[in-house]
Amino acid sequence: MFSKLSKGRGAGVFTSTPPRYTLDRSDSPLRPSQLPLLVNPWDIVLCSSGTLIACENALVVLVIWQNPTLRAPMFRLIGSLALADLLTGLGLVLHFTCAYLLRSDSAQLLTVGLVVASFSASVFSLLAITVDRYLSLYYALTYNSERTAAFTYTMLVLLWGLSLCLGLLPVTGVNCLAEEVTCSVVRPLTKNNIAVLSVSFLLLFGLMLQLYVQICKIVMRHAHQIALQHHFLAATPHYVTTRKGVSTLAIILGTFAACWMPFTVYSLIADYTYPPLYTYATLVPATYNSVINPVIYAFRNQEIQKALWLVCCGCVPTSVAHRARTPSDV
């Protein structure tokens, strides 16, 4: 939200105090053309991103919810990710609406808490999907068992419970509304609060990186064993698709890091005195991760593709129905 407009600081809904819609231009040292806009363009970008995120992930949630064949642990985790990103989009839209219409500290705390909880659930769901992929390869023979389903439910309960606790912190008093000097780059989160979130993200990213390295090793080892059994050469299609699968894993991890790492590092070294422009420039790419997630984890999945085609046109193209699963689908 805007700071005092008479100071001419171009803040927005995540970076300062509520916007004021009446300007005392006589007291302002700036010319009318230099006065800040009543609606920060960066907030419009965030609200637009939230709308896209909500619509995109609502489609994934709807497809998984309505299709009884999508009940395997993997699809429940993808559904958890889509639900978290859906709430992220709604949180961004609600925060924009409350900041510019209600201008209430209570509403701000609730919407920021929703955004924190949903972003946390999204990142935790990505970790859970990575763990699930690793287990599906490491324990390939026993993966489809009741124990796997129970473990999946346990992960879902833990990740949503922890995310809810993180989202409730600003609402239950861990905020900087009473003491501005404790604010982080994202108001009303305190510097300590966002530091905990950022360090947690770095730890989760390191764990995901380690798991994906192990997944790559398993995929390459399986490919080598198959090659020896069938006397394949390195240039055969199987090796091509295996390399494609490893490239896909690199893209997944690289996209995740590119979206979140700038904001994570910036929030650790900056505080509320830094220009809001830097906060928006690093926060907006983080929201794009919720835009990309359905493309990587849902729309590329063959079963979800079939369900989407059935919902959209009532049929499934032959190319989709008979496409074989390859290592690039890891």
Side-chain angles (χ1 to χ4, degrees):
M1 287 175 286
F2 285 102
S3 59
K4 292 181 180 179
L5 295 183
S6 59
K7 293 183 179 180
R9 185 179 178 184
V13 295
F14 280 103
T15 55
S16 189
T17 51
R20 299 179 185 273
Y21 288 85
T22 58
L23 294 175
D24 186 357
R25 296 176 184 267
S26 62
D27 294 337
S28 175
L30 303 177
R31 296 191 303 272
S33 59
Q34 294 177 309
L35 289 171
L37 296 175
L38 289 179
V39 179
N40 191 318
W42 284 100
D43 292 330
I44 297 177
V45 173
L46 283 175
C47 184
S48 301
S49 298
T51 303
L52 176 61
I53 291 168
C55 294
E56 191 179 15
N57 286 279
L59 178 61
V60 178
V61 172
L62 179 64
V63 168
I64 294 178
W65 178 267
Q66 288 189 339
N67 197 320
T69 63
L70 303 179
R71 294 293 181 269
M74 174 182 63
F75 295 115
R76 296 190 182 278
L77 293 175
I78 293 176
S80 172
L81 175 62
L83 178 60
D85 288 334
L86 169 60
L87 294 176
T88 296
L90 293 177
L92 291 173
V93 174
L94 288 175
H95 191 70
F96 177 87
T97 303
C98 293
Y100 285 102
L101 296 182
L102 297 181
R103 304 196 298 279
S104 165
D105 286 342
S106 299
Q108 182 187 21
L109 289 174
L110 288 174
T111 54
V112 168
L114 174 60
V115 172
V116 171
S118 54
F119 267 136
S120 301
S122 178
V123 174
F124 287 142
S125 294
L126 289 174
L127 175 63
I129 290 174
T130 306
V131 172
D132 179 74
R133 287 178 168 178
Y134 172 74
L135 294 177
S136 67
L137 292 173
Y138 193 82
Y139 300 103
L141 297 179
T142 60
Y143 172 74
N144 293 315
S145 64
E146 293 183 1
R147 186 173 62 179
T148 302
F151 180 72
T152 301
Y153 288 125
T154 302
M155 284 197 299
L156 289 174
V157 171
L158 289 177
L159 75 88
W160 279 99
L162 182 56
S163 299
L164 181 61
C165 291
L166 292 174
L168 286 175
L169 287 179
V171 182
T172 54
V174 185
N175 58 69
C176 64
L177 293 181
E179 195 173 356
E180 191 77 15
V181 294
T182 63
C183 283
S184 65
V185 294
V186 177
R187 191 179 188 272
L189 300 181
T190 64
K191 180 68 176 177
N192 291 335
N193 191 343
I194 205 164
V196 170
L197 294 174
S198 299
V199 171
S200 299
F201 167 82
L202 293 176
L203 293 176
L204 292 177
F205 177 76
L207 180 56
M208 289 176 62
L209 178 61
Q210 178 63 24
L211 287 172
Y212 272 124
V213 169
Q214 296 301 319
I215 289 174
C216 288
K217 290 181 179 180
I218 295 174
V219 170
M220 296 302 294
R221 183 169 65 247
H222 287 178
H224 180 67
Q225 292 173 349
I226 295 175
L228 292 178
Q229 293 174 2
H230 295 82
H231 304 288
F232 286 166
L233 297 177
T236 59
H238 183 81
Y239 271 88
V240 173
T241 55
T242 301
R243 286 196 298 269
K244 184 179 178 182
V246 174
S247 300
T248 300
L249 295 179
I251 292 173
I252 291 173
L253 201 60
T255 300
F256 179 66
C259 290
W260 275 106
M261 200 61 71
F263 178 74
T264 301
V265 175
Y266 175 71
S267 62
L268 282 174
I269 63 176
D271 57 27
Y272 75 101
T273 62
Y274 280 59
L277 174 63
Y278 299 157
T279 301
Y280 283 108
T282 55
L283 180 60
V284 170
T287 66
Y288 292 160
N289 188 65
S290 296
V291 177
I292 299 172
N293 281 339
V295 178
I296 294 178
Y297 295 96
F299 298 146
R300 292 176 62 254
N301 183 276
Q302 184 179 358
E303 286 76 13
I304 294 180
Q305 287 181 10
K306 292 179 181 178
L308 284 172
W309 277 103
L310 287 173
V311 170
C312 294
C313 65
C315 62
V316 180
T318 305
S319 59
V320 175
H322 300 289
R323 182 173 67 88
R325 182 177 174 85
T326 67
S328 61
D329 297 324
V330 172

